[in-house]
Amino acid sequence: MGLSDNLKGVILAVASSAFIGSSFILKKKGLKRGGASGIRAGVGGYTYLLEPLWWAGMITMIMGEIANFVAYIYAPAVLVTPLGALSIIVSACLAHFLLNERIQKMGIVGCVSCIVGSVVIVIHAPQEHTPSSVQDIWTLATQPAFLVYVVATLSAVLALVLHFEPHYGQTNILVYLGICSLMGSLTVVSIKAIGIAIKLTLDGMSQIAYPQTWFFLTVAVICVITQLIYLNKALDTFNATLVSPVYYVMFTTFTIIASVIMFKDWSGQNAGSIASEICGLITVLSGTIILHVTREQEPPPPPVGTCRTHHPPLLAGERNHDMVHQWRLLKESRGRTFNHSPPSR
């Protein structure tokens, strides 16, 4: 007896999380090295492209995304996307040891919550319903409810890019990650459509001739490039263990909304299963929030052109000794002044 489609999707999603969680750390180290030798990515620099560690993280992320891509072919987004919580656990553990970004005791509780919530979602996840052609997917993509979602998403992205990024991009993590997450939800539905087209083609029903296939491919490429640009900015500006969970929460939420609207993942499920999935999702999101609030905050990077040298403050004893020494020098200088007779005229 072979593996079910949902189980194949789960295995691929877990492997994807391991690769993606590792890629955050590799890219973060590459971005740090690139920023130390040139202009930081957060302010428009591209010196990180010369760093091997950044490329190692990029390759690792691509491997994770490929595994994730295949997972979406076999399982619904409601099942695959929440399993990305495992990437948070991987990145938090690696950051603790490799980047000295400490994980607190409550952070362990957050990790456990992510795992428990993921298990609940896996148990109650719906079975995948594969469309018979890319034209069927196009019909789902052009239904009024999903078109409203697409228009709202693109409007929000334009507002974030044109208005909020210039004013709040360097201080508010939600700006960069909001762009990544909104575009990511469109990436997922497009990639799922491409994956289904590839699967149908391999099964003997070619979908290459349909213009809808190439439209979904174009949308996916544009969205992925946009995600990478703003994810790099977020990683260079904010703590890696802060970026990962916040990005996951936002990306998961928007992706599930988009998938439920377009692919009708919950159609045919009873209220109990849907409620269990929502509870599992809330548990996972709660775990990521716990990880977020218990992590050490990374100090904001210095403005461009400022010196990075840091002088540690004097300890209390050193301050007292320094004040006594200065007082003695002042007394000696005054004594020398008073003891000298005024010059003769």
Side-chain angles (χ1 to χ4, degrees):
M1 182 178 178
L3 298 176
S4 66
D5 284 350
N6 271 19
L7 185 55
K8 292 177 183 177
V10 168
I11 294 172
L12 289 166
V14 171
S16 170
S17 296
F19 284 121
I20 292 175
S22 303
S23 73
F24 273 109
I25 307 305
L26 293 173
K27 291 175 70 177
K28 178 71 174 181
K29 291 182 74 69
L31 287 167
K32 281 189 171 183
R33 291 187 179 182
S37 59
I39 302 175
R40 294 171 34 248
V43 291
Y46 294 96
T47 53
Y48 63 87
L49 294 175
L50 302 176
E51 294 296 326
L53 270 178
W54 185 88
W55 283 108
M58 192 66 190
I59 293 171
T60 307
M61 175 169 278
I62 291 173
M63 294 172 62
E65 293 296 345
I66 291 174
N68 202 43
F69 168 76
V70 181
Y72 280 112
I73 298 177
Y74 289 102
V78 174
L79 170 60
V80 174
T81 306
L83 291 179
L86 300 178
S87 68
I88 301 173
I89 299 174
V90 172
S91 63
C93 293
L94 291 179
H96 179 80
F97 294 105
L98 301 179
L99 298 179
N100 295 322
E101 297 176 0
R102 296 179 56 195
I103 181 171
Q104 307 295 335
K105 292 181 178 179
M106 284 300 296
I108 299 176
V109 176
C111 293
V112 173
S113 298
C114 291
I115 295 174
V116 171
S118 298
V119 171
V120 172
I121 292 173
V122 169
I123 293 174
H124 297 279
Q127 293 296 319
E128 173 72 348
H129 302 289
T130 305
S132 59
S133 71
V134 74
Q135 290 179 315
D136 292 342
I137 304 174
W138 180 256
T139 301
L140 296 174
T142 54
Q143 58 184 314
F146 187 70
L147 290 177
V148 170
Y149 175 82
V150 171
V151 171
T153 296
L154 295 179
S155 300
V157 169
L158 287 175
L160 287 170
V161 171
L162 299 178
H163 176 71
F164 290 96
E165 182 189 358
H167 297 91
Y168 309 106
Q170 293 291 310
T171 57
N172 193 325
I173 193 173
L174 297 180
V175 176
Y176 291 147
L177 296 187
I179 297 170
C180 291
S181 302
L182 289 167
M183 297 299 287
S185 66
L186 300 180
T187 301
V188 168
V189 294
S190 299
I191 284 179
K192 187 173 180 66
I194 296 168
I196 292 173
I198 293 175
K199 183 180 179 182
L200 292 172
T201 300
L202 295 176
D203 290 339
M205 296 175 287
S206 178
Q207 307 293 309
I208 298 176
Y210 293 109
Q212 292 91 337
T213 302
W214 300 103
F215 174 81
F216 286 126
L217 179 61
T218 303
V219 171
V221 170
I222 294 173
C223 292
V224 167
I225 292 174
T226 304
Q227 281 182 265
L228 289 176
I229 291 173
Y230 285 95
L231 183 57
N232 281 331
K233 289 187 176 185
L235 282 171
D236 187 58
T237 307
F238 303 97
N239 191 307
T241 49
L242 177 63
V243 171
S244 184
V246 175
Y247 179 42
Y248 170 76
V249 170
M250 298 178 68
F251 173 77
T252 300
T253 301
F254 289 124
T255 297
I256 289 179
I257 292 173
S259 181
V260 167
I261 294 174
M262 179 173 171
F263 291 101
K264 305 184 185 302
D265 290 331
W266 285 340
S267 63
Q269 279 198 298
N270 56 47
S273 296
I274 295 175
S276 298
E277 291 173 45
I278 293 175
C279 289
L281 177 61
I282 292 174
T283 303
V284 171
L285 298 183
S286 300
T288 59
I289 292 173
I290 292 173
L291 276 172
H292 163 47
V293 300
T294 57
R295 301 304 297 180
E296 289 184 338
Q297 298 295 319
E298 184 174 346
V304 179
T306 59
C307 181
R308 292 176 178 264
T309 305
H310 174 68
H311 301 284
L314 294 174
L315 298 177
E318 293 174 329
R319 286 197 299 269
N320 292 338
H321 177 77
D322 187 63
M323 292 175 64
V324 171
H325 180 66
Q326 291 183 18
W327 174 251
R328 288 176 177 172
L329 289 177
L330 180 61
K331 288 180 65 179
E332 290 175 1
S333 63
R334 286 181 176 179
R336 285 194 296 269
T337 302
F338 294 147
N339 291 334
H340 285 300
S341 58
S344 57
R345 296 182 181 274

